[in-house]
Amino acid sequence: MQEYKEPYRILTAGGEGEITEKKSRFIATVRSVESEEEAQRFIGEMKKKYWDARHNCSAYVLGPKGELSRCSDDGEPSQTAGRPMLEVLLGEEIRNVAVVVTRYFGGVLLGTGGLVRAYTQAVREGIKNSQTAWMRYGIRYGLDTDYNGIGKILYFLSEAGIEPERAEYTEKVYLQVMLPFEIAGKMEKEITEATGGKTKITEIERAYFIDKRCSL
């Protein structure tokens, strides 16, 4: 069986968050992106929207394992804005996401430590006001069974918190289900045993899916 792949979080709805630190305003805008080009367009959009701000710092992470990540201090002292912002995204395990933190300078210098704290807090505030969900790796199956077996199958699925993606009731019953990879083998065995081997189990594909059981 193909090896297990780690889950990761995605945005299902972006959000904004704002904090004030010594009269400076920090506005975080968080958005889902699918490519580096899309991330750059988003950053450009925010710079245009907040054209009168002192800084528009940014960070983004792409790929299930965070294969591509970039950040920018946009004129703030090195490592005080973009890197802390990126660390929040990585620590929250959110992928395919970009954030821009806009700073309107309030006239009081924060120092390097103060900047790191402010940009970090702003990103966390933006994520708090966003909606996320877990992407899990799983196996999609087609299950062909009879009316004697369907009750047992639905019981096992219900116990695991899984709802069928499709259900067709004709002379027999067909279900399409997506099972998390880590329980797929166990579920196959349980369904086969419970229905006396009368359920035909066909693997359709292996892919990531939004696990509604773990939506945040």
Side-chain angles (χ1 to χ4, degrees):
M1 183 174 279
Q2 187 175 333
E3 69 179 62
Y4 170 75
K5 294 184 180 181
E6 291 290 335
Y8 62 94
R9 288 169 72 193
I10 61 166
L11 289 182
T12 54
E16 294 184 1
E18 180 175 339
I19 67 166
T20 301
E21 185 69 26
K22 294 183 180 178
K23 299 182 180 180
S24 280
R25 290 176 63 205
F26 295 83
I27 306 167
T29 307
V30 188
R31 183 176 296 179
S32 174
V33 292
E34 296 298 326
S35 67
E36 188 164 22
E37 293 74 16
E38 190 176 350
Q40 291 294 342
R41 283 197 301 272
F42 163 60
I43 293 167
E45 178 186 327
M46 291 299 101
K47 287 184 175 182
K48 184 176 181 181
K49 178 179 180 179
Y50 296 110
W51 60 271
D52 57 339
R54 177 70 68 91
H55 306 281
N56 283 287
C57 305
S58 59
Y60 56 88
V61 182
L62 296 167
K65 295 183 179 180
E67 292 89 341
L68 177 63
S69 61
R70 298 279 188 274
C71 61
S72 169
D73 294 312
D74 194 40
E76 292 281 30
S78 179
Q79 306 292 308
T80 62
R83 173 54 60 176
M85 292 165 59
L86 180 60
E87 291 298 331
V88 174
L89 298 182
L90 293 172
E92 294 287 341
E93 299 182 86
I94 304 177
R95 305 293 182 256
N96 297 339
V97 61
V99 59
V100 173
V101 175
T102 301
R103 181 189 183 188
Y104 284 95
F105 184 55
V108 180
L109 296 176
L110 301 183
T112 56
L115 287 172
V116 169
R117 286 191 296 273
Y119 279 101
T120 296
Q121 184 181 346
V123 175
R124 287 178 175 156
E125 193 70 19
I127 292 173
K128 186 175 75 173
N129 294 327
S130 302
Q131 295 177 26
T132 68
W134 280 99
M135 292 293 288
R136 295 194 180 278
Y137 190 66
I139 305 177
R140 180 170 282 111
Y141 290 102
L143 307 177
D144 289 281
T145 191
D146 55 27
Y147 282 87
N148 292 324
I150 187 61
K152 296 172 183 177
I153 292 173
L154 290 176
Y155 171 78
F156 283 124
L157 295 177
S158 176
E159 285 292 293
I162 295 167
E163 295 182 5
E165 296 176 327
R166 282 175 53 197
E168 298 174 5
Y169 293 85
T170 55
E171 291 182 0
K172 300 191 74 175
V173 182
Y174 175 79
L175 296 181
Q176 181 173 292
V177 298
M178 188 62 148
L179 302 180
F181 185 87
E182 57 268 32
I183 68 170
K186 179 174 179 287
M187 290 287 287
E188 274 191 72
K189 183 178 179 181
E190 288 181 343
I191 290 171
T192 299
E193 291 178 351
T195 59
K198 294 181 179 179
T199 298
K200 180 183 177 184
I201 303 176
T202 305
E203 181 178 321
I204 298 172
E205 66 174 340
R206 300 184 179 201
Y208 275 100
F209 68 103
I210 293 179
D211 191 346
K212 295 180 182 178
R213 303 173 308 163
C214 300
S215 295
L216 301 175

